Amino acid sequence: DIGADETNDTVVYRIDDNLAEYPTADFSTINGIQNAIDYLVANNVAGSVRLEVYSGTYNAITVPVNMPSMPLEIVEFAGQTAIISQAAAVNLVLINGADYVTIDGFTIQNCTQDGVKITNTAIGATIKNCSMASLGTSGSYAGINVDGNSDSAVITGNTITSDYYGINYQGTTAVRLDNCVISNNAITITGQYDIRMEYCNKTTISY
């Protein structure tokens, strides 16, 4: 295992784009977060994993359906400013069928579609304490979009500025989204709705 630490049965990897804040980080470059995700999959790193990300600007990431690490926390380390931004990206954070993924504390900005997309039966995702802006610039997209039978998503403590929807939960008549929790988010939109929900059960919204 490349330099990983273990804290309370959670394996910890550190990511720093230019090694300025953490010179011995396990992953660097603007693709450091994605490289860490790919490493977990390729090496079948199971159990609880936390990726601690240090100041820098990072490219878009995808957490795939075959992610073995569960739960997986991807967090901005305390006192740092970690930005996920890629102008050419469709979605800056794509949780594609991976269960129990947490995204915590990032600045997420500048993309053409959804800032964060949770899809393909990704159960138990949590998006918290993030600042999001300049999202969905090519049409009817959202700061955070949840669909594809991705139940039990929690969205809390985020600041979202979006060109269309702030938060969008999109179930269907055949497959409804269950156990949605939205709390303490500050949302500014220039298009349609702060929060849009369609075909959802057992929803909790609080401010």
Side-chain angles (χ1 to χ4, degrees), residues 2-8 10-19 21-29 32-34 36-37 40 48-56 58 61 71-84 102-106:
I2 55 172
D5 294 331
E6 189 165 319
T7 304
N8 298 325
T10 296
V11 178
V12 179
Y13 298 89
R14 295 175 175 87
I15 302 164
D16 185 352
D17 67 335
N18 58 10
L19 302 179
E21 285 76 28
Y22 203 95
T24 59
D26 302 292
F27 301 91
S28 58
T29 81
I33 304 174
Q34 188 63 55
I37 292 167
L40 298 176
S48 177
V49 173
R50 183 167 68 250
L51 304 181
E52 295 180 347
V53 184
Y54 286 75
S55 291
Y58 299 87
I61 63 173
L72 172 63
E73 299 176 88
I74 305 175
V75 304
E76 176 189 86
F77 191 72
Q80 302 294 300
T81 302
I83 301 168
I84 300 175
T102 294
I103 306 294
D104 183 0
F106 290 89

Short mmCIF file of all heavy atoms in Angstrom, two decimals, residues 2-8 10-19 21-29 32-34 36-37 40 48-56 58 61 71-84 102-106:
data_model
loop_
_atom_site.label_atom_id
_atom_site.label_comp_id
_atom_site.label_asym_id
_atom_site.label_seq_id
_atom_site.Cartn_x
_atom_site.Cartn_y
_atom_site.Cartn_z
N ILE A 2 0.60 2.19 -0.87
CA ILE A 2 1.49 3.33 -1.04
C ILE A 2 1.29 4.34 0.08
O ILE A 2 0.39 5.15 0.04
CB ILE A 2 1.31 3.99 -2.41
CG1 ILE A 2 -0.14 4.38 -2.63
CG2 ILE A 2 1.74 3.11 -3.53
CD1 ILE A 2 -0.35 5.19 -3.85
N GLY A 3 2.08 4.23 1.11
CA GLY A 3 2.11 5.26 2.15
C GLY A 3 0.85 5.45 2.95
O GLY A 3 0.71 6.45 3.64
N ALA A 4 -0.10 4.53 2.86
CA ALA A 4 -1.38 4.72 3.55
C ALA A 4 -1.21 4.62 5.05
O ALA A 4 -0.43 3.83 5.55
CB ALA A 4 -2.38 3.70 3.07
N ASP A 5 -1.98 5.46 5.78
CA ASP A 5 -2.06 5.36 7.23
C ASP A 5 -3.39 4.71 7.60
O ASP A 5 -4.31 4.63 6.79
CB ASP A 5 -1.99 6.75 7.88
CG ASP A 5 -0.64 7.42 7.65
OD1 ASP A 5 0.35 6.68 7.52
OD2 ASP A 5 -0.60 8.65 7.60
N GLU A 6 -3.49 4.28 8.84
CA GLU A 6 -4.74 3.71 9.30
C GLU A 6 -5.14 4.38 10.60
O GLU A 6 -4.34 4.48 11.53
CB GLU A 6 -4.62 2.20 9.49
CG GLU A 6 -5.96 1.53 9.76
CD GLU A 6 -5.90 0.02 9.60
OE1 GLU A 6 -5.25 -0.46 8.66
OE2 GLU A 6 -6.51 -0.66 10.43
N THR A 7 -6.38 4.90 10.64
CA THR A 7 -6.90 5.57 11.82
C THR A 7 -8.27 5.00 12.16
O THR A 7 -9.20 5.09 11.37
CB THR A 7 -7.04 7.09 11.56
OG1 THR A 7 -5.77 7.60 11.15
CG2 THR A 7 -7.49 7.81 12.82
N ASN A 8 -8.37 4.36 13.33
CA ASN A 8 -9.65 3.77 13.76
C ASN A 8 -10.25 2.89 12.67
O ASN A 8 -11.42 3.01 12.31
CB ASN A 8 -10.63 4.88 14.15
CG ASN A 8 -10.15 5.70 15.31
OD1 ASN A 8 -9.50 5.18 16.22
ND2 ASN A 8 -10.44 6.99 15.31
N THR A 10 -9.89 2.94 9.59
CA THR A 10 -10.07 3.61 8.31
C THR A 10 -8.70 3.84 7.68
O THR A 10 -7.81 4.41 8.30
CB THR A 10 -10.79 4.96 8.48
OG1 THR A 10 -12.12 4.73 8.98
CG2 THR A 10 -10.88 5.71 7.16
N VAL A 11 -8.54 3.38 6.44
CA VAL A 11 -7.29 3.60 5.72
C VAL A 11 -7.32 5.00 5.13
O VAL A 11 -8.31 5.41 4.51
CB VAL A 11 -7.11 2.56 4.61
CG1 VAL A 11 -5.82 2.82 3.82
CG2 VAL A 11 -7.08 1.15 5.20
N VAL A 12 -6.23 5.76 5.32
CA VAL A 12 -6.17 7.17 4.91
C VAL A 12 -5.09 7.34 3.85
O VAL A 12 -3.93 6.92 4.04
CB VAL A 12 -5.88 8.09 6.11
CG1 VAL A 12 -5.80 9.55 5.65
CG2 VAL A 12 -6.94 7.92 7.19
N TYR A 13 -5.46 7.97 2.73
CA TYR A 13 -4.51 8.38 1.70
C TYR A 13 -4.56 9.90 1.58
O TYR A 13 -5.65 10.50 1.71
CB TYR A 13 -4.85 7.76 0.34
CG TYR A 13 -4.80 6.26 0.32
CD1 TYR A 13 -5.92 5.51 0.63
CD2 TYR A 13 -3.63 5.59 -0.03
CE1 TYR A 13 -5.88 4.12 0.60
CE2 TYR A 13 -3.58 4.20 -0.07
CZ TYR A 13 -4.72 3.47 0.25
OH TYR A 13 -4.67 2.10 0.22
N ARG A 14 -3.42 10.51 1.29
CA ARG A 14 -3.35 11.97 1.20
C ARG A 14 -3.03 12.40 -0.22
O ARG A 14 -2.21 11.77 -0.90
CB ARG A 14 -2.33 12.52 2.21
CG ARG A 14 -2.77 12.25 3.66
CD ARG A 14 -1.74 12.65 4.69
NE ARG A 14 -2.27 12.47 6.03
CZ ARG A 14 -2.20 11.33 6.72
NH1 ARG A 14 -1.62 10.27 6.18
NH2 ARG A 14 -2.71 11.24 7.94
N ILE A 15 -3.66 13.51 -0.63
CA ILE A 15 -3.56 13.97 -2.02
C ILE A 15 -3.21 15.45 -2.00
O ILE A 15 -3.88 16.25 -1.33
CB ILE A 15 -4.90 13.76 -2.75
CG1 ILE A 15 -5.29 12.27 -2.72
CG2 ILE A 15 -4.83 14.27 -4.19
CD1 ILE A 15 -6.73 12.01 -3.06
N ASP A 16 -2.16 15.82 -2.73
CA ASP A 16 -1.75 17.22 -2.84
C ASP A 16 -1.28 17.45 -4.27
O ASP A 16 -0.32 16.82 -4.73
CB ASP A 16 -0.62 17.51 -1.84
CG ASP A 16 -0.23 18.98 -1.81
OD1 ASP A 16 -0.71 19.75 -2.66
OD2 ASP A 16 0.58 19.36 -0.95
N ASP A 17 -1.92 18.36 -4.98
CA ASP A 17 -1.67 18.50 -6.42
C ASP A 17 -0.21 18.83 -6.75
O ASP A 17 0.34 18.37 -7.75
CB ASP A 17 -2.62 19.52 -7.05
CG ASP A 17 -2.36 20.94 -6.59
OD1 ASP A 17 -1.83 21.14 -5.48
OD2 ASP A 17 -2.73 21.87 -7.33
N ASN A 18 0.44 19.64 -5.90
CA ASN A 18 1.83 20.04 -6.20
C ASN A 18 2.81 19.72 -5.05
O ASN A 18 3.96 20.17 -5.07
CB ASN A 18 1.90 21.53 -6.52
CG ASN A 18 1.37 22.40 -5.38
OD1 ASN A 18 1.12 21.90 -4.27
ND2 ASN A 18 1.18 23.67 -5.64
N LEU A 19 2.34 18.96 -4.07
CA LEU A 19 3.15 18.54 -2.92
C LEU A 19 3.66 19.71 -2.09
O LEU A 19 4.60 19.57 -1.31
CB LEU A 19 4.34 17.68 -3.38
CG LEU A 19 3.98 16.41 -4.15
CD1 LEU A 19 5.24 15.67 -4.58
CD2 LEU A 19 3.07 15.50 -3.34
N GLU A 21 1.77 21.54 0.23
CA GLU A 21 1.23 21.48 1.59
C GLU A 21 1.56 20.17 2.28
O GLU A 21 1.69 20.11 3.50
CB GLU A 21 -0.30 21.68 1.58
CG GLU A 21 -0.75 23.11 1.34
CD GLU A 21 -0.62 23.52 -0.12
OE1 GLU A 21 -0.71 22.65 -1.01
OE2 GLU A 21 -0.43 24.73 -0.37
N TYR A 22 1.65 19.09 1.50
CA TYR A 22 1.96 17.78 2.08
C TYR A 22 2.95 17.08 1.17
O TYR A 22 2.57 16.32 0.27
CB TYR A 22 0.69 16.95 2.25
CG TYR A 22 0.81 15.87 3.30
CD1 TYR A 22 0.38 16.10 4.60
CD2 TYR A 22 1.38 14.63 2.99
CE1 TYR A 22 0.50 15.11 5.56
CE2 TYR A 22 1.51 13.65 3.96
CZ TYR A 22 1.07 13.89 5.24
OH TYR A 22 1.19 12.93 6.21
N PRO A 23 4.25 17.32 1.36
CA PRO A 23 5.28 16.85 0.41
C PRO A 23 5.33 15.34 0.23
O PRO A 23 5.82 14.85 -0.80
CB PRO A 23 6.59 17.38 1.01
CG PRO A 23 6.17 18.55 1.84
CD PRO A 23 4.83 18.19 2.40
N THR A 24 4.85 14.58 1.20
CA THR A 24 4.90 13.12 1.10
C THR A 24 3.53 12.52 0.79
O THR A 24 3.25 11.37 1.11
CB THR A 24 5.45 12.50 2.40
OG1 THR A 24 4.61 12.89 3.50
CG2 THR A 24 6.87 12.97 2.65
N ALA A 25 2.67 13.32 0.16
CA ALA A 25 1.33 12.83 -0.21
C ALA A 25 1.43 11.59 -1.08
O ALA A 25 2.39 11.39 -1.84
CB ALA A 25 0.55 13.92 -0.93
N ASP A 26 0.41 10.75 -1.00
CA ASP A 26 0.39 9.51 -1.77
C ASP A 26 0.10 9.74 -3.25
O ASP A 26 0.55 8.97 -4.09
CB ASP A 26 -0.68 8.58 -1.19
CG ASP A 26 -0.44 8.29 0.27
OD1 ASP A 26 0.55 7.61 0.58
OD2 ASP A 26 -1.24 8.76 1.11
N PHE A 27 -0.65 10.81 -3.55
CA PHE A 27 -1.01 11.12 -4.94
C PHE A 27 -0.86 12.62 -5.16
O PHE A 27 -1.21 13.43 -4.29
CB PHE A 27 -2.45 10.69 -5.24
CG PHE A 27 -2.69 9.22 -5.04
CD1 PHE A 27 -3.12 8.75 -3.81
CD2 PHE A 27 -2.46 8.32 -6.06
CE1 PHE A 27 -3.33 7.38 -3.61
CE2 PHE A 27 -2.66 6.96 -5.88
CZ PHE A 27 -3.10 6.49 -4.65
N SER A 28 -0.37 13.00 -6.34
CA SER A 28 -0.22 14.41 -6.67
C SER A 28 -0.74 14.64 -8.09
O SER A 28 -1.35 13.76 -8.69
CB SER A 28 1.25 14.83 -6.54
OG SER A 28 2.06 14.05 -7.38
N THR A 29 -0.52 15.83 -8.62
CA THR A 29 -0.98 16.35 -9.91
C THR A 29 -2.46 16.70 -9.84
O THR A 29 -3.18 16.33 -8.90
CB THR A 29 -0.73 15.39 -11.11
OG1 THR A 29 -1.75 14.39 -11.15
CG2 THR A 29 0.65 14.78 -11.05
N GLY A 32 -4.92 13.97 -9.14
CA GLY A 32 -4.60 13.19 -7.94
C GLY A 32 -5.79 12.49 -7.32
O GLY A 32 -5.67 11.33 -6.88
N ILE A 33 -6.94 13.15 -7.26
CA ILE A 33 -8.11 12.51 -6.64
C ILE A 33 -8.55 11.31 -7.48
O ILE A 33 -8.80 10.21 -6.96
CB ILE A 33 -9.27 13.50 -6.46
CG1 ILE A 33 -8.83 14.72 -5.65
CG2 ILE A 33 -10.44 12.81 -5.75
CD1 ILE A 33 -9.88 15.81 -5.56
N GLN A 34 -8.64 11.51 -8.80
CA GLN A 34 -9.03 10.41 -9.66
C GLN A 34 -8.01 9.28 -9.64
O GLN A 34 -8.37 8.10 -9.64
CB GLN A 34 -9.24 10.89 -11.10
CG GLN A 34 -9.84 9.82 -12.02
CD GLN A 34 -11.24 9.39 -11.57
OE1 GLN A 34 -12.12 10.22 -11.42
NE2 GLN A 34 -11.42 8.10 -11.33
N ALA A 36 -6.22 8.40 -7.14
CA ALA A 36 -6.44 7.67 -5.89
C ALA A 36 -7.65 6.74 -6.02
O ALA A 36 -7.61 5.57 -5.58
CB ALA A 36 -6.63 8.65 -4.74
N ILE A 37 -8.73 7.24 -6.61
CA ILE A 37 -9.92 6.40 -6.82
C ILE A 37 -9.57 5.20 -7.69
O ILE A 37 -9.95 4.05 -7.38
CB ILE A 37 -11.04 7.25 -7.46
CG1 ILE A 37 -11.55 8.29 -6.46
CG2 ILE A 37 -12.18 6.37 -7.96
CD1 ILE A 37 -12.42 9.36 -7.08
N LEU A 40 -7.69 2.56 -5.72
CA LEU A 40 -8.54 1.76 -4.83
C LEU A 40 -9.23 0.64 -5.60
O LEU A 40 -9.33 -0.49 -5.12
CB LEU A 40 -9.58 2.66 -4.15
CG LEU A 40 -9.06 3.76 -3.24
CD1 LEU A 40 -10.20 4.62 -2.74
CD2 LEU A 40 -8.26 3.19 -2.08
N SER A 48 -13.26 0.65 5.02
CA SER A 48 -13.42 2.10 5.16
C SER A 48 -12.15 2.82 4.71
O SER A 48 -11.05 2.52 5.17
CB SER A 48 -13.72 2.44 6.62
OG SER A 48 -13.82 3.82 6.82
N VAL A 49 -12.32 3.80 3.79
CA VAL A 49 -11.19 4.56 3.25
C VAL A 49 -11.52 6.05 3.28
O VAL A 49 -12.65 6.44 2.97
CB VAL A 49 -10.86 4.13 1.81
CG1 VAL A 49 -9.80 5.04 1.19
CG2 VAL A 49 -10.37 2.67 1.78
N ARG A 50 -10.53 6.87 3.64
CA ARG A 50 -10.68 8.33 3.56
C ARG A 50 -9.56 8.90 2.70
O ARG A 50 -8.38 8.61 2.94
CB ARG A 50 -10.66 8.96 4.95
CG ARG A 50 -10.88 10.48 4.91
CD ARG A 50 -11.17 11.07 6.27
NE ARG A 50 -10.03 11.02 7.16
CZ ARG A 50 -9.93 10.23 8.23
NH1 ARG A 50 -10.92 9.41 8.54
NH2 ARG A 50 -8.86 10.24 9.00
N LEU A 51 -9.96 9.70 1.72
CA LEU A 51 -9.00 10.44 0.91
C LEU A 51 -8.97 11.87 1.41
O LEU A 51 -9.97 12.59 1.32
CB LEU A 51 -9.40 10.41 -0.57
CG LEU A 51 -9.60 9.03 -1.21
CD1 LEU A 51 -9.97 9.19 -2.68
CD2 LEU A 51 -8.39 8.15 -1.04
N GLU A 52 -7.83 12.30 1.97
CA GLU A 52 -7.69 13.65 2.49
C GLU A 52 -7.00 14.50 1.43
O GLU A 52 -5.88 14.20 1.02
CB GLU A 52 -6.89 13.64 3.79
CG GLU A 52 -7.61 12.91 4.92
CD GLU A 52 -6.84 12.89 6.22
OE1 GLU A 52 -5.64 13.24 6.21
OE2 GLU A 52 -7.45 12.53 7.25
N VAL A 53 -7.67 15.57 1.02
CA VAL A 53 -7.20 16.37 -0.12
C VAL A 53 -6.72 17.73 0.37
O VAL A 53 -7.44 18.42 1.11
CB VAL A 53 -8.32 16.52 -1.16
CG1 VAL A 53 -7.81 17.27 -2.39
CG2 VAL A 53 -8.86 15.15 -1.57
N TYR A 54 -5.52 18.11 -0.06
CA TYR A 54 -4.91 19.37 0.34
C TYR A 54 -5.14 20.44 -0.74
O TYR A 54 -5.61 20.16 -1.84
CB TYR A 54 -3.43 19.15 0.64
CG TYR A 54 -3.22 18.42 1.94
CD1 TYR A 54 -3.47 17.04 2.03
CD2 TYR A 54 -2.82 19.09 3.09
CE1 TYR A 54 -3.32 16.37 3.23
CE2 TYR A 54 -2.66 18.42 4.29
CZ TYR A 54 -2.92 17.07 4.36
OH TYR A 54 -2.77 16.40 5.56
N SER A 55 -4.80 21.67 -0.40
CA SER A 55 -5.07 22.82 -1.28
C SER A 55 -4.56 22.58 -2.68
O SER A 55 -3.46 22.06 -2.90
CB SER A 55 -4.44 24.08 -0.71
OG SER A 55 -5.08 24.49 0.48
N GLY A 56 -5.37 23.03 -3.64
CA GLY A 56 -5.01 22.91 -5.04
C GLY A 56 -6.26 22.83 -5.89
O GLY A 56 -7.38 22.82 -5.38
N TYR A 58 -8.15 20.58 -8.81
CA TYR A 58 -8.16 19.20 -9.29
C TYR A 58 -9.19 19.03 -10.39
O TYR A 58 -10.23 19.70 -10.41
CB TYR A 58 -8.47 18.24 -8.14
CG TYR A 58 -7.45 18.30 -7.03
CD1 TYR A 58 -7.58 19.24 -6.00
CD2 TYR A 58 -6.35 17.45 -7.02
CE1 TYR A 58 -6.64 19.32 -4.99
CE2 TYR A 58 -5.40 17.52 -5.99
CZ TYR A 58 -5.56 18.46 -4.99
OH TYR A 58 -4.62 18.54 -3.97
N ILE A 61 -13.91 14.16 -11.18
CA ILE A 61 -13.72 12.79 -10.69
C ILE A 61 -14.96 11.95 -10.94
O ILE A 61 -16.09 12.45 -10.96
CB ILE A 61 -13.36 12.76 -9.19
CG1 ILE A 61 -14.49 13.33 -8.34
CG2 ILE A 61 -12.06 13.52 -8.95
CD1 ILE A 61 -14.26 13.18 -6.83
N PRO A 71 -17.34 2.45 3.72
CA PRO A 71 -17.62 3.74 3.08
C PRO A 71 -16.34 4.40 2.55
O PRO A 71 -15.24 4.09 3.03
CB PRO A 71 -18.22 4.56 4.22
CG PRO A 71 -17.60 3.98 5.46
CD PRO A 71 -17.45 2.51 5.19
N LEU A 72 -16.53 5.30 1.59
CA LEU A 72 -15.43 6.07 1.02
C LEU A 72 -15.69 7.54 1.30
O LEU A 72 -16.70 8.09 0.85
CB LEU A 72 -15.31 5.84 -0.48
CG LEU A 72 -14.31 6.74 -1.23
CD1 LEU A 72 -12.90 6.52 -0.72
CD2 LEU A 72 -14.40 6.51 -2.73
N GLU A 73 -14.78 8.18 2.04
CA GLU A 73 -14.86 9.62 2.30
C GLU A 73 -13.81 10.34 1.46
O GLU A 73 -12.63 9.98 1.54
CB GLU A 73 -14.60 9.92 3.77
CG GLU A 73 -15.56 9.31 4.76
CD GLU A 73 -15.11 9.62 6.18
OE1 GLU A 73 -15.49 10.68 6.71
OE2 GLU A 73 -14.34 8.81 6.74
N ILE A 74 -14.24 11.32 0.70
CA ILE A 74 -13.32 12.18 -0.04
C ILE A 74 -13.49 13.57 0.56
O ILE A 74 -14.53 14.21 0.38
CB ILE A 74 -13.61 12.16 -1.54
CG1 ILE A 74 -13.61 10.72 -2.07
CG2 ILE A 74 -12.59 13.01 -2.30
CD1 ILE A 74 -14.02 10.59 -3.52
N VAL A 75 -12.48 14.04 1.30
CA VAL A 75 -12.65 15.23 2.14
C VAL A 75 -11.55 16.25 1.88
O VAL A 75 -10.39 15.90 1.64
CB VAL A 75 -12.68 14.85 3.64
CG1 VAL A 75 -13.75 13.82 3.93
CG2 VAL A 75 -11.33 14.35 4.11
N GLU A 76 -11.93 17.51 1.92
CA GLU A 76 -10.94 18.59 1.98
C GLU A 76 -10.37 18.60 3.39
O GLU A 76 -11.11 18.72 4.36
CB GLU A 76 -11.62 19.92 1.66
CG GLU A 76 -10.70 21.12 1.78
CD GLU A 76 -11.48 22.43 1.66
OE1 GLU A 76 -11.99 22.90 2.70
OE2 GLU A 76 -11.59 22.94 0.54
N PHE A 77 -9.04 18.48 3.48
CA PHE A 77 -8.42 18.45 4.80
C PHE A 77 -8.61 19.79 5.49
O PHE A 77 -8.63 20.85 4.86
CB PHE A 77 -6.94 18.11 4.68
CG PHE A 77 -6.29 17.79 6.00
CD1 PHE A 77 -6.57 16.62 6.66
CD2 PHE A 77 -5.41 18.69 6.60
CE1 PHE A 77 -5.99 16.32 7.88
CE2 PHE A 77 -4.83 18.41 7.81
CZ PHE A 77 -5.12 17.22 8.47
N ALA A 78 -8.73 19.77 6.81
CA ALA A 78 -9.01 20.97 7.59
C ALA A 78 -7.99 22.07 7.31
O ALA A 78 -6.78 21.84 7.27
CB ALA A 78 -8.99 20.62 9.08
N GLY A 79 -8.52 23.28 7.07
CA GLY A 79 -7.67 24.44 6.84
C GLY A 79 -7.16 24.58 5.42
O GLY A 79 -6.42 25.51 5.12
N GLN A 80 -7.55 23.67 4.54
CA GLN A 80 -7.11 23.69 3.15
C GLN A 80 -8.22 24.24 2.24
O GLN A 80 -9.36 24.40 2.65
CB GLN A 80 -6.71 22.29 2.71
CG GLN A 80 -5.61 21.67 3.55
CD GLN A 80 -4.30 22.40 3.40
OE1 GLN A 80 -3.74 22.49 2.31
NE2 GLN A 80 -3.76 22.93 4.50
N THR A 81 -7.86 24.54 0.99
CA THR A 81 -8.83 24.97 -0.02
C THR A 81 -8.64 24.08 -1.24
O THR A 81 -7.76 24.32 -2.07
CB THR A 81 -8.65 26.45 -0.40
OG1 THR A 81 -8.78 27.25 0.78
CG2 THR A 81 -9.70 26.87 -1.42
N ALA A 82 -9.45 23.07 -1.33
CA ALA A 82 -9.36 22.11 -2.44
C ALA A 82 -10.50 22.39 -3.42
O ALA A 82 -11.67 22.41 -3.03
CB ALA A 82 -9.44 20.68 -1.92
N ILE A 83 -10.15 22.61 -4.67
CA ILE A 83 -11.10 23.00 -5.71
C ILE A 83 -11.18 21.89 -6.76
O ILE A 83 -10.15 21.39 -7.22
CB ILE A 83 -10.66 24.31 -6.39
CG1 ILE A 83 -10.57 25.43 -5.34
CG2 ILE A 83 -11.61 24.69 -7.52
CD1 ILE A 83 -9.86 26.68 -5.86
N ILE A 84 -12.41 21.53 -7.12
CA ILE A 84 -12.63 20.63 -8.25
C ILE A 84 -13.23 21.47 -9.36
O ILE A 84 -14.33 22.01 -9.23
CB ILE A 84 -13.54 19.46 -7.88
CG1 ILE A 84 -12.92 18.64 -6.73
CG2 ILE A 84 -13.79 18.57 -9.09
CD1 ILE A 84 -13.81 17.53 -6.22
N THR A 102 -18.96 9.80 0.48
CA THR A 102 -19.12 11.14 1.03
C THR A 102 -18.16 12.09 0.34
O THR A 102 -16.97 11.80 0.22
CB THR A 102 -18.85 11.15 2.55
OG1 THR A 102 -19.85 10.37 3.21
CG2 THR A 102 -18.87 12.57 3.10
N ILE A 103 -18.69 13.24 -0.09
CA ILE A 103 -17.89 14.34 -0.62
C ILE A 103 -18.05 15.50 0.36
O ILE A 103 -19.15 15.98 0.59
CB ILE A 103 -18.38 14.76 -2.03
CG1 ILE A 103 -18.43 13.57 -2.98
CG2 ILE A 103 -17.52 15.89 -2.57
CD1 ILE A 103 -17.09 12.96 -3.32
N ASP A 104 -16.94 15.96 0.93
CA ASP A 104 -17.03 16.88 2.07
C ASP A 104 -16.04 18.03 1.93
O ASP A 104 -14.83 17.83 1.89
CB ASP A 104 -16.73 16.10 3.36
CG ASP A 104 -16.86 16.93 4.63
OD1 ASP A 104 -17.18 18.13 4.54
OD2 ASP A 104 -16.63 16.37 5.72
N GLY A 105 -16.59 19.26 1.83
CA GLY A 105 -15.80 20.46 2.04
C GLY A 105 -15.20 21.12 0.82
O GLY A 105 -14.50 22.12 0.94
N PHE A 106 -15.46 20.61 -0.38
CA PHE A 106 -14.78 21.11 -1.57
C PHE A 106 -15.44 22.36 -2.15
O PHE A 106 -16.63 22.62 -1.96
CB PHE A 106 -14.78 20.03 -2.66
CG PHE A 106 -13.89 18.87 -2.35
CD1 PHE A 106 -14.37 17.78 -1.63
CD2 PHE A 106 -12.56 18.87 -2.73
CE1 PHE A 106 -13.55 16.71 -1.32
CE2 PHE A 106 -11.72 17.81 -2.42
CZ PHE A 106 -12.23 16.72 -1.72
#
